[in-house]
Amino acid sequence: MVSTDFDVTIIGAGPSGTVAACLLMQHGLRVCLVERDEFPRFSIGESLLPQSMDYLRQANMLDTLLDNADELGFQFKNGAAFFRSGHHTNFNFEEKFTPGPGTTYQVKRAQFDNLLADEAIKQGAEIRFAQQVTNFTTNGQGTCIEVTDLKTQQHSKITARFTLDASGFGRVLPRLLSLEEPSELAQRKAIFTHFKDNINCPKFDRNKILITVHPTMADVWYWLIPFGDSTVSVGVVGETRQIEQADQSLEQTLLKFISEDDNLSTLLADAEIIAQVRTIGGYSSNVKQLYGDRFALLGNAGEFLDPVFSSGVTIALRSAVQACELVVKELNGENIDWQNEYEVPLREGISVFKYFVNAWYDTSLQSVIFFADGQPDVKAMICSILAGYAWDKNNPFVKSTGRGLRILEQICEPETASTI
């Protein structure tokens, strides 16, 4: 056996990286995470899905989240609320079709990622912060990553028997190995920030993310994510041509879009911006393959869809769980078919989310969401996917997503719409 510094190196110390580290250490493996930033640091993806709770449990990290949620201002979440042109509808995740956790949290990612990183260190992982990966090589027996310390500018090499790329939007290995491909999804842009919300509407449910459709542009939408400390994350998403305002600052643009929706502008009438207004664009991505010789891609490093259904963290953690099981087997000498044991099954769930994303923007799924209240069994199945259970093949809308939604479009008539 070739001598290496570690059994596994992980590029990135976000949720997929730290969960992967903890899963691998359960098998006695030596793990080093290399992170470009210093923690805590800002990230998007603040509204978790209930399926993620099971993955955190498998990594022995769930208790840490539960014990610290209140102190860190995380908000209990039990569903999603949707609003479009006067129509409200709610999905209660505890009424979903698929067994498993039905509640989760809405989290400030700086604190959430830092919490998971601290827990990974407690469990035995080594994390090297402020390290930029500049090169990656593999010789069939192990891997070598070259890194630059962003504080000292010193260069070093780290060898391992296997490498996982959990670098998120940094997409380190796809860039270094020319694995990137254009996404099938339209390129969109988001503008967002945090507010001290001062919301006093008695009907507002802080336990749910609120997704609002723009009143005149059906493919433009807003998120409103409440936190437990009377603050909210608010963003608007649309195609770049719809969002960019050449004569306005980001703050002015965001406030203008908020003012265009009566319900959202009423809720946020007394809100105060308390953070930098940020933007991210061209975030949808894809790659030629999710694995290679002695490496695999996790989460956003492989494929990122769209923020509309908050699927990013769930896909990331799912990929960590699936990949780590195979890494352990490979390092124990088993022959692994990464295509059929990792890429194919992981992409099955991603494809379900992708279909939902496309159907949201062509508005066919919007019709289903707003007019499904008269179909409780069907609503429970849709609810399961919105809760993150996109790999449950017992759910007809997972097994045959396109056909199921097309049929559902025909039976969900506007007359059944909820006006709660």
Side-chain angles (χ1 to χ4, degrees), residues 274-296:
I274 57 173
Q276 175 185 351
V277 181
R278 301 170 184 262
T279 184
I280 182 173
Y283 40 71
S284 298
S285 66
N286 201 357
V287 291
K288 298 175 184 176
Q289 59 191 58
L290 294 175
Y291 65 94
D293 182 21
R294 295 278 169 168
F295 75 85

Side-chain angles (χ1 to χ4, degrees), residues 259-278:
S259 72
E260 291 171 354
D261 181 79
D262 290 343
N263 183 62
L264 205 58
S265 60
T266 299
L267 286 175
L268 298 174
D270 298 318
E272 306 168 23
I273 292 177
I274 57 173
Q276 175 185 351
V277 181
R278 301 170 184 262

Side-chain angles (χ1 to χ4, degrees), residues 128-300:
R128 302 180 183 180
F129 293 101
Q131 303 288 314
Q132 178 75 50
V133 176
T134 58
N135 195 34
F136 173 82
T137 55
T138 178
N139 61 11
Q141 295 180 306
T143 65
C144 178
I145 59 174
E146 299 178 24
V147 300
T148 299
D149 188 309
L150 297 179
K151 291 182 178 179
T152 66
Q153 297 304 308
Q154 291 183 337
H155 306 288
S156 61
K157 297 181 179 180
I158 307 173
T159 60
R161 299 165 63 196
F162 202 96
T163 293
L164 294 172
D165 185 352
S167 59
F169 292 118
R171 301 181 187 119
V172 171
L173 292 191
R175 296 180 192 277
L176 291 176
L177 301 178
S178 300
L179 297 176
E180 292 184 297
E181 285 190 334
S183 174
E184 301 168 4
L185 301 174
Q187 292 302 313
R188 294 184 168 84
K189 185 173 185 177
I191 301 175
F192 51 93
T193 192
H194 286 182
F195 290 81
K196 181 71 174 178
D197 60 79
N198 297 312
I199 295 175
N200 57 18
C201 175
K203 294 183 179 181
F204 178 65
D205 187 352
R206 300 195 73 90
N207 294 337
K208 294 177 176 64
I209 182 175
L210 172 62
I211 297 175
T212 301
V213 180
H214 190 277
T216 61
M217 295 180 284
D219 57 345
V220 173
W221 63 278
Y222 312 79
W223 77 69
L224 191 156
I225 300 172
F227 299 121
D229 59 357
S230 300
T231 65
V232 292
S233 172
V234 180
V236 60
V237 180
E239 291 189 26
T240 302
R241 60 177 176 79
Q242 297 169 308
I243 298 298
E244 286 187 342
Q245 306 287 328
D247 59 340
Q248 293 183 331
S249 66
L250 290 176
E251 179 176 328
Q252 290 171 328
T253 300
L254 178 59
L255 293 177
K256 173 180 177 294
F257 272 100
I258 291 173
S259 72
E260 291 171 354
D261 181 79
D262 290 343
N263 183 62
L264 205 58
S265 60
T266 299
L267 286 175
L268 298 174
D270 298 318
E272 306 168 23
I273 292 177
I274 57 173
Q276 175 185 351
V277 181
R278 301 170 184 262
T279 184
I280 182 173
Y283 40 71
S284 298
S285 66
N286 201 357
V287 291
K288 298 175 184 176
Q289 59 191 58
L290 294 175
Y291 65 94
D293 182 21
R294 295 278 169 168
F295 75 85
L297 310 179
L298 305 182
N300 296 349

Side-chain angles (χ1 to χ4, degrees), residues 307-342:
V308 63
F309 298 118
S310 305
S311 62
V313 173
T314 296
I315 292 172
L317 299 190
R318 174 81 182 200
S319 67
V321 170
Q322 287 190 202
C324 287
E325 180 180 348
L326 300 177
V327 170
V328 170
K329 291 181 178 180
E330 181 165 316
L331 296 186
N332 284 333
E334 297 185 36
N335 292 322
I336 301 301
D337 182 350
W338 280 89
Q339 177 66 21
N340 290 309
E341 295 182 64
Y342 180 63

Side-chain angles (χ1 to χ4, degrees), residues 48-54 77-80 90-104 208 314 353 375-392 394-398:
L48 305 182
L49 302 183
Q51 172 75 91
S52 297
M53 305 297 275
D54 187 54
K77 175 185 175 183
N78 64 8
N90 293 331
F91 283 78
N92 184 343
F93 291 156
E94 294 178 286
E95 298 174 356
K96 58 183 171 46
F97 171 84
T98 305
T103 63
T104 184
K208 294 177 176 64
T314 296
F353 282 126
Q375 304 286 332
D377 292 341
V378 168
K379 186 170 184 178
M381 296 173 190
I382 298 296
C383 188
S384 284
I385 297 173
L386 297 180
Y389 294 90
W391 289 268
D392 175 20
N394 291 319
N395 186 340
F397 290 96
V398 170

